[in-house]
Each structure stands twice: as C-alpha cells, then as structure tokens.
Amino acid sequence: MTDNSSTEEMIRLLREISGKLDRILIQGSADNESDDGILDVLDVMTLLTLPDHLRTTATALFELGSATADELAERTNKERAVESNYLNQLVRMGHVAKNRKGRKVYFSIGEGLGK
Amino acid sequence: MTDNSSTEEMIRLLREISGKLDRILIQGSADNESDDGILDVLDVMTLLTLPDHLRTTATALFELGSATADELAERTNKERAVESNYLNQLVRMGHVAKNRKGRKVYFSIGEGLGK
Amino acid sequence: MALTIAIHSYKGGSGKTSFAINLASAYASVGKSVCLLDVDLKAPSSFNYLLPEAKHWVNDIFEGRYGVMDVVKDVSKEMGTKGAFYVGYSNPDIVAVRGISSKDRKWQSKALKLLMTAKRDLSNAGIDIVILDTGAGVDFTSVNAIAVADYVISVGRPGASRQRLMEQVIGGVYMPLDKDCYIIENMCHNDNPTDLSGKKFDLPVLASIPCMCDVAVRCDNEVLVLTEPDHAFSKKIYDIMESLDKITS
Amino acid sequence: MALTIAIHSYKGGSGKTSFAINLASAYASVGKSVCLLDVDLKAPSSFNYLLPEAKHWVNDIFEGRYGVMDVVKDVSKEMGTKGAFYVGYSNPDIVAVRGISSKDRKWQSKALKLLMTAKRDLSNAGIDIVILDTGAGVDFTSVNAIAVADYVISVGRPGASRQRLMEQVIGGVYMPLDKDCYIIENMCHNDNPTDLSGKKFDLPVLASIPCMCDVAVRCDNEVLVLTEPDHAFSKKIYDIMESLDKITS
C-alpha cells in the first residue's frame, strides 16, 4: 500500500465510523422518549396530541373531574357504549384511571386525582 | 488529494467523531440517572437557586463535563481544598456525582456523565 | 355560568395585556361584574401596579393553596367602575417566575383542574365575565387558560412572519381545543401589505386597532377606557365589547 | 474561542429577533465569520423565511441527533456577505413547538450541555462570532442560552412596567450567572418619561433606537443592514457592532 492509498483508506474508515455514530445517536434519542413515563399524566399538551374523538372525551373528563361513562355520555351527547369504549382506550394509554365504587365505575384524569 | 488536504480532512473527521461521542455520552447519562425526582438533576433554573460560591463551582463543572477537584480549582482560581469542600456539598445535595477512577476522584453533573 | 374569555397572543409584545385590562375595565364600567386574572405566571403583567395591591397571588390558586375568591380583590371603588371589578395578580418576584419553568407535566395537569375549579367558583360568586390574561405563545401558561375559556381573543400585530406563526397556533392549539376564536389586529400600520385574515384560516377579525404612539406610552400608566373614554383606542375597545355581547348572547 | 453573544429580552415584542439578524448580518458583511442560531424553540423566529432553508433544525442539536455543524447552513452567497454566515433555525411546526413545553428538567440539563458542546464545535470550525437569538422572558429557552454566552445583550422597549420586570431579570438571572450585560433600548418614544437605565441597576445602555414605523414593517421582509446600510436603523446596528468590538477586544 502506498502512503496515498493508506490515507484514503483511513479517511474512508473515519467516514464509516462517523456514519455509524450517526445511527447510534438517532437510536439513542428514540430510546429516551419511550421510557420516561410520558404516558401516566394527561396534561393539556398531551391532550392536543390525541385524536379528535379521544380529545373530546378527555376534555369533558377534565371538566367533570371524575365521572361514570353514563355521566360522560350525557355531557358529550354520545352513546354510552361509545364513550365507554373511548374511556377504556384512554385507560389503556395510561391517561385515565378507572376505579370501582360499589356498583359504579368511575373514570378520572391521572393517578387517583379526580375531585 | 494532496497530503495537506487529506490531513485536514482527517482532522475534520476526527473532530466530528469526537463531537458525536460527546453527544452519545450526554445521551447515555440520562439512562443511568435514578428516577426519583428533584435533587438528582442540576438544570439551569436549579443552578440559579444555589448560593454564589456553589453556583460558580457548578457552572465550571457544567463547562468541564467531568473533573477532579484539582482541575476545577485551576478553572475557578480557588484553593483545591475549598473547591473540594464545595464539590462535596453539591454531592450531598444530590446535584453532583462522585466517581473513583484508579487513584483519582472525578466529579460530574448528574450520574456517571463525564466527557 | 360566567363567560370566560382568554386573551391570547401567539407572540409577545402584541399589546395583549393592555387590551385585557381595558376590555375588563370597559365591562366593569358599564355595570358588569368582572374578574380579570393574570395567568401569565412566567411574565407577570404590568397591570400589577396599575391597580391596587392584593394579599395573595394567582400562583396560590395553581398551587392549590387558596381558592380564587381568597386571591382576587375588588378594585371597583379605586377604579370607579359601576360593576364589581375583581383582579388577581401573578407574583412578579423572580424566584416565583423561575420556579414556573421547573414545574412538571403532573403539576400542569393539576393546574388545569384547579383553573377549571376557579372558573366554577367565580360563576358561583356571581361574576358575569372572567377575563384571563394568558401567556404569549405556546406554553402551559397560555394553553391551560385557552382550554378553560369559552372564547379566545387572539391579539396580534399584522405582518408576514406573524401570519405564519398564527396559522400554526390556530391549527395546533385553538382548533383541537374546539374554541370560538376572534382576532384583534393591533398596532396596525397603513403601509403593511399583510393582515391576519388570510385565506388559510377563516377566523373573524373583530377589529383592527391602528398603531398609536401615545397609546404605547399611556397604556403603561393608565387605563385609557376609564381615564379617556373618548380616545380612539377606548372607542375601539367599547366597540369590541359590543360585538362580543352580540356574539355571546 | 468564538465570541458568543446571547440576544435576550425580558419581554416579547421588543424587536429582539430583528436586532439579532441585523447584528449577525452586520458582522458577516464586514468579513467576520458568523453563526446565528435561533434557540427559541417555543417561538421560532421570523428569520426562518428571510433566509434560505436548511436541512436540519436547531432542535436536532438539543435532542443530540446532530452536531451544530450538521445543522447550520452557510447563507453568505445568498445574502451577499463578505464573511461566512451560518444560520440554524428552530422548527416552526406546532407539533415541535408544543413538544418543548413537555420537556422535563433532565432534558433541559442535557440541552445545556449540548449547547456548550455546540459552542466549542463552532469555535473549532473557525467561527468568530456566535449569536444566539434566545426566547423572551424567563424560560429554559432563554436561560440555557444566557448561561452559555460570553455576553448578553438585553433588548427592551422603555416603559415603567418593563423597568420593573427588567430589574427582576437582571437580579435573578443575569447577575447570578455572572454575565457581562448591555442594554439596547429599542422602539423608544420621545415623550416616554422612563428609560431602562435606572438607578437600581447600573448596566450600560449601548444604544437607544427610536421607534420607526417603517422599520417595524420592513424588518419583516428584509435584512435592513444589507438592503439599506445607510438607513438610520442600519447605522445604529453598525455603531453597536463597533461598540461591541471595543468592549470585547
């Protein structure tokens, strides 16, 4: 190998290493987003990222504090079954808590917050 | 490529790689941090609430990334013993991490950061 | 229920606060029972010292320390308004201001609930109009207040750069929160080719207030609708109040 | 080391961004190698569209995705400046803007470190002057940048309410971070009895720029120091640049 070609090889390798580092960096930034507990609080900025139907349900729940699916459906003028489905989606996303009190199931924003 | 310009290109690439390694280290640091709240992160708003002497030490440490008491004292133009005392105060407050590497003790913002 | 109006601006320096205090004063001067709350905890409004002092801060509401009725103060006597005129100030001390930046999403979620409670308490206390002077731009200090409001008034200076910013805020904040919004073009210059009522968003422009040098200076020291109700600026404010009455009735 | 200047304003709408882009252009026009970074991630600056587009965003620096040299773009050819003129934009999309409010203190602590790394990288790349267009008021988008800067220029409109606010920011942000600060009084009116050089803080006022209606409109569409270097506003900017040269040399 001549000096010239070894220099070229070194530059090629450095470029390759630099490219690999780029991919590590992009992966690293993605990891950080997933594991820092974003899903357990429903604040207004998170509310804005929800699809329209869930946002309406969540906003009504914010106003009511804590409510059954019936109470919520009355507020939003939707079918009870529809609201119940949306509420359970929000529960699965971690935004809404579900608590049984006697025969009734109450939904509320956040962890045992409510009113 | 002439010798001169290839050397320049290598230096440029090495700087680029070094910068990327910095960012990987900074990103990695978040994963290691314990997730129990207030005292384990030193952000700039918290920095502003520190008393003057500790703020100077903490600011210098932000700039150095990771440093021994000697290195820090050199930066702030204070006695090593004084800086060491301040650093240990910051460690007790939970703002700064302390790690032994061989015979040297390194201080850094957050846990296991360093550059 | 009290009618809650959030006064917002997608960018600082639009005259939002002067507009908010003058609109609130206009309502109070015609006998409405009004509450003006400064919810811009990161940049406490200048009306802090245009009006008499109070014992507590709006910050206390968000911290859950006091209810809104413990925090607000009726200044109708000092300001000479016919209707009750309650005001709540946010704490201008830098330690309080810096602290707001460090609040996490959980705190902000609670803050939204506490603001909804405050709105209900004000209604129960017989307030007709609640005016929220929000933070500028997109921040919890503004978006929480917009979420609580019945109407949003967006105060802005016309200009090409602002038009773009506004498009983003309308599409990404006002619309998803399903709010009735109205635009006030403020500090308008005759030779400015752009206005805020573009084709891209069809929000109604409630009024265009020209840029008046004396207003910029005087609003810092007095409440123009009360000290000079015949001033061109004051007249605009009363006109806006009448338009709002039609819209909301 | 590159000289890093943070352009701040304790309140929005002070003309901070127009000042920043004109000062950066002035430096580039006399042959300095300049980098202008918009670090106001919550309210991306209007110079986003006064200048040519770039591939990446300043947001990518704060996320650790790219280094500063991957993000900035040299616009010296398009702008016709003698010196290199790198610019970095923050992402104006509302999804990006809203996201910044949700960042926690841990993210902000990392952001500060990444900004320090960026400053060093710019020095290594041979940049003479780094100008940070910061967020207005007291927020991580401004205070992180102030912490990194060598000098702070605080742009403000005179006025009694602002004077109070400024006192808080000087005492609670600039002073504790031990920064060299200079005040630019902008949009001054002759009949305004208050100025920003009160007794309470003895920061030097570098210049007072009068309120000019044409500047408010034109700065939205052009970079005045480049398109009309003889304009009264442009001359003020060049004067300020010379004063800064003396201060920092």
Side-chain angles (χ1 to χ4, degrees):
Chain A
M1 239 185 218
T2 68
D3 268 4
N4 236 348
S5 69
S6 10
T7 309
E8 269 168 32
E9 177 65 4
M10 281 198 287
I11 290 176
R12 199 194 60 74
L13 279 167
L14 285 170
R15 286 208 177 109
E16 195 175 289
I17 291 170
S18 178
K20 284 176 188 168
L21 289 172
D22 277 339
R23 293 196 292 283
I24 292 175
L25 280 163
I26 289 163
Q27 277 175 13
S29 61
D31 283 355
N32 288 346
E33 274 159 32
S34 61
D35 60 13
D36 43 278
I38 281 191
L39 285 183
D40 58 345
V41 178
L42 186 56
D43 60 286
V44 78
M45 297 291 175
T46 311
L47 194 78
L48 288 172
T49 66
L50 296 175
D52 284 355
H53 59 289
L54 294 181
R55 196 171 48 244
T56 308
T57 301
T59 306
L61 193 55
F62 251 115
E63 279 163 15
L64 292 170
S66 175
T68 63
D70 278 317
E71 288 164 356
L72 211 78
E74 200 178 305
R75 179 79 160 221
T76 60
N77 292 319
K78 285 180 188 156
E79 292 287 311
R80 187 204 168 281
V82 172
E83 267 322 335
S84 177
N85 176 20
Y86 292 169
L87 283 165
N88 283 303
Q89 277 186 54
L90 287 166
V91 170
R92 281 194 297 278
M93 293 169 85
H95 295 319
V96 162
K98 190 174 177 177
N99 290 297
R100 187 171 292 277
K101 283 182 200 162
R103 294 184 56 186
K104 287 192 173 175
V105 176
Y106 283 88
F107 295 88
S108 56
I109 302 286
E111 287 174 344
L113 275 175
K115 276 194 204 176
Chain B
M1 239 184 219
T2 68
D3 270 4
N4 239 347
S5 69
S6 358
T7 309
E8 268 170 32
E9 175 66 3
M10 281 197 288
I11 290 174
R12 198 194 60 75
L13 280 165
L14 284 168
R15 277 209 183 111
E16 193 175 287
I17 289 168
S18 173
K20 283 172 189 172
L21 289 170
D22 278 339
R23 296 198 295 284
I24 290 173
L25 283 165
I26 292 169
Q27 277 188 5
S29 66
D31 299 339
N32 302 330
E33 276 168 30
S34 61
D35 53 9
D36 53 34
I38 309 283
L39 283 183
D40 58 345
V41 179
L42 185 57
D43 60 286
V44 77
M45 296 292 177
T46 311
L47 194 77
L48 287 172
T49 64
L50 296 176
D52 285 354
H53 58 289
L54 294 181
R55 196 171 49 243
T56 308
T57 301
T59 307
L61 194 54
F62 249 115
E63 279 162 16
L64 291 170
S66 175
T68 63
D70 279 315
E71 288 163 356
L72 210 78
E74 201 177 308
R75 180 80 160 219
T76 59
N77 291 320
K78 285 181 188 155
E79 291 287 310
R80 188 204 167 282
V82 173
E83 266 323 333
S84 176
N85 176 18
Y86 293 170
L87 283 165
N88 283 303
Q89 278 186 54
L90 287 165
V91 170
R92 281 193 297 277
M93 293 167 87
H95 294 318
V96 162
K98 190 174 177 177
N99 288 296
R100 188 172 290 278
K101 283 181 200 162
R103 294 182 57 187
K104 287 192 173 175
V105 175
Y106 283 87
F107 296 89
S108 56
I109 302 283
E111 281 179 355
L113 267 181
K115 275 199 196 172
Chain C
M1 272 300 262
L3 184 76
T4 305
I5 305 172
I7 314 294
H8 183 239
S9 149
Y10 32 92
K11 193 178 178 307
S14 66
K16 165 178 67 57
T17 292
S18 294
F19 178 80
I21 188 173
N22 277 283
L23 182 65
S25 302
Y27 272 118
S29 75
V30 299
K32 287 273 169 64
S33 183
V34 176
C35 179
L36 170 65
L37 288 184
D38 178 9
V39 294
D40 187 3
L41 304 189
K42 275 193 186 173
S45 289
S46 50
F47 65 68
N48 271 336
Y49 71 103
L50 270 181
L51 303 173
E53 287 192 14
K55 254 191 296 185
H56 298 303
W57 302 113
V58 167
N59 309 55
D60 294 321
I61 302 172
F62 287 105
E63 294 285 359
R65 272 194 290 263
Y66 293 104
V68 63
M69 293 313 292
D70 305 316
V71 163
V72 294
K73 183 190 170 83
D74 185 357
V75 299
S76 55
K77 205 172 275 175
E78 291 90 336
M79 302 307 284
T81 58
K82 209 164 122 195
F85 188 5
Y86 290 92
V87 288
Y89 310 109
S90 80
N91 189 347
D93 188 275
I94 190 72
V95 175
V97 169
R98 284 187 329 220
I100 298 303
S101 289
S102 300
K103 299 298 185 190
D104 62 8
R105 293 171 45 242
K106 200 182 272 182
W107 189 91
Q108 295 292 359
S109 170
K110 263 199 285 184
L112 176 55
K113 286 178 200 168
L114 289 162
L115 198 54
M116 284 177 169
T117 306
K119 178 185 172 179
R120 200 199 49 207
D121 292 350
L122 288 167
S123 281
N124 290 340
I127 302 289
D128 302 312
I129 314 271
V130 178
I131 294 191
L132 302 173
D133 184 15
T134 76
V138 179
D139 185 272
F140 279 107
T141 57
S142 51
V143 184
N144 271 347
I146 291 167
V148 166
D150 305 310
Y151 292 88
V152 176
I153 293 186
S154 192
V155 181
R157 290 157 72 178
S161 60
R162 295 183 187 92
Q163 218 161 1
R164 287 201 170 196
L165 210 62
M166 183 155 189
E167 245 170 76
Q168 293 287 331
V169 172
I170 292 173
V173 179
Y174 300 164
M175 291 305 165
L177 289 173
D178 213 13
K179 295 294 164 185
D180 274 321
C181 297
Y182 297 89
I183 293 173
I184 303 285
E185 292 183 323
N186 199 14
M187 307 187 203
C188 301
H189 289 96
N190 282 334
D191 53 345
N192 196 332
T194 56
D195 61 39
L196 295 171
S197 56
K199 283 163 219 150
K200 299 227 178 158
F201 37 90
D202 51 5
L203 294 191
V205 175
L206 216 54
S208 294
I209 306 176
C211 195
M212 294 175 259
C213 283
D214 66 322
V215 171
V217 176
R218 288 180 65 188
C219 276
D220 220 34
N221 303 296
E222 57 192 298
V223 180
L224 267 181
V225 297
L226 300 179
T227 55
E228 195 182 329
D230 288 331
H231 192 285
F233 177 82
S234 304
K235 281 184 177 166
K236 280 278 183 187
I237 300 287
Y238 281 108
D239 287 349
I240 291 164
M241 184 182 77
E242 275 169 33
S243 306
L244 283 171
D245 278 344
K246 276 179 208 145
I247 289 163
T248 59
S249 66
Chain D
M1 272 302 262
L3 184 76
T4 305
I5 305 172
I7 314 294
H8 183 239
S9 148
Y10 32 90
K11 195 180 176 305
S14 66
K16 164 178 67 56
T17 292
S18 295
F19 178 80
I21 187 173
N22 278 284
L23 183 65
S25 302
Y27 272 118
S29 76
V30 298
K32 285 275 169 62
S33 183
V34 176
C35 178
L36 171 66
L37 288 183
D38 178 10
V39 294
D40 186 2
L41 304 188
K42 275 193 185 173
S45 288
S46 49
F47 65 68
N48 270 336
Y49 71 101
L50 271 182
L51 302 173
E53 287 192 15
K55 255 192 294 186
H56 298 302
W57 302 111
V58 166
N59 308 56
D60 294 320
I61 301 173
F62 288 105
E63 293 286 359
R65 271 194 291 263
Y66 292 104
V68 64
M69 293 312 294
D70 306 316
V71 163
V72 294
K73 182 191 171 84
D74 185 357
V75 299
S76 55
K77 205 172 275 175
E78 291 91 335
M79 303 307 284
T81 57
K82 210 164 119 195
F85 188 6
Y86 290 93
V87 289
Y89 310 109
S90 80
N91 188 347
D93 189 277
I94 190 72
V95 175
V97 169
R98 284 186 331 219
I100 298 302
S101 289
S102 301
K103 299 299 185 189
D104 61 9
R105 293 168 48 241
K106 200 184 274 184
W107 188 91
Q108 295 292 359
S109 171
K110 265 201 284 180
L112 176 55
K113 287 178 201 164
L114 288 162
L115 198 54
M116 284 177 170
T117 305
K119 180 186 171 179
R120 202 202 49 207
D121 291 350
L122 287 168
S123 281
N124 287 339
I127 303 289
D128 302 314
I129 313 270
V130 178
I131 294 190
L132 302 173
D133 185 15
T134 75
V138 178
D139 184 272
F140 279 108
T141 58
S142 51
V143 184
N144 272 346
I146 291 167
V148 166
D150 304 309
Y151 292 88
V152 177
I153 293 185
S154 193
V155 182
R157 292 157 71 178
S161 60
R162 295 184 187 92
Q163 218 162 2
R164 287 197 170 202
L165 211 61
M166 184 155 188
E167 245 169 76
Q168 293 287 332
V169 172
I170 292 173
V173 179
Y174 301 164
M175 290 306 166
L177 289 173
D178 213 13
K179 295 294 165 186
D180 273 321
C181 299
Y182 298 89
I183 294 174
I184 303 285
E185 293 183 323
N186 199 12
M187 308 188 202
C188 300
H189 289 94
N190 281 335
D191 53 345
N192 196 335
T194 56
D195 60 41
L196 295 171
S197 56
K199 281 164 223 151
K200 298 225 180 162
F201 37 91
D202 52 5
L203 295 191
V205 174
L206 216 54
S208 295
I209 306 176
C211 196
M212 295 176 259
C213 284
D214 66 322
V215 171
V217 176
R218 288 179 66 187
C219 277
D220 220 33
N221 302 297
E222 57 192 298
V223 180
L224 268 181
V225 296
L226 299 179
T227 55
E228 195 182 328
D230 288 331
H231 192 286
F233 176 82
S234 305
K235 281 183 178 167
K236 280 279 184 188
I237 301 288
Y238 281 107
D239 287 349
I240 291 163
M241 184 182 77
E242 274 168 34
S243 306
L244 283 171
D245 278 344
K246 275 179 209 146
I247 289 163
T248 60
S249 65

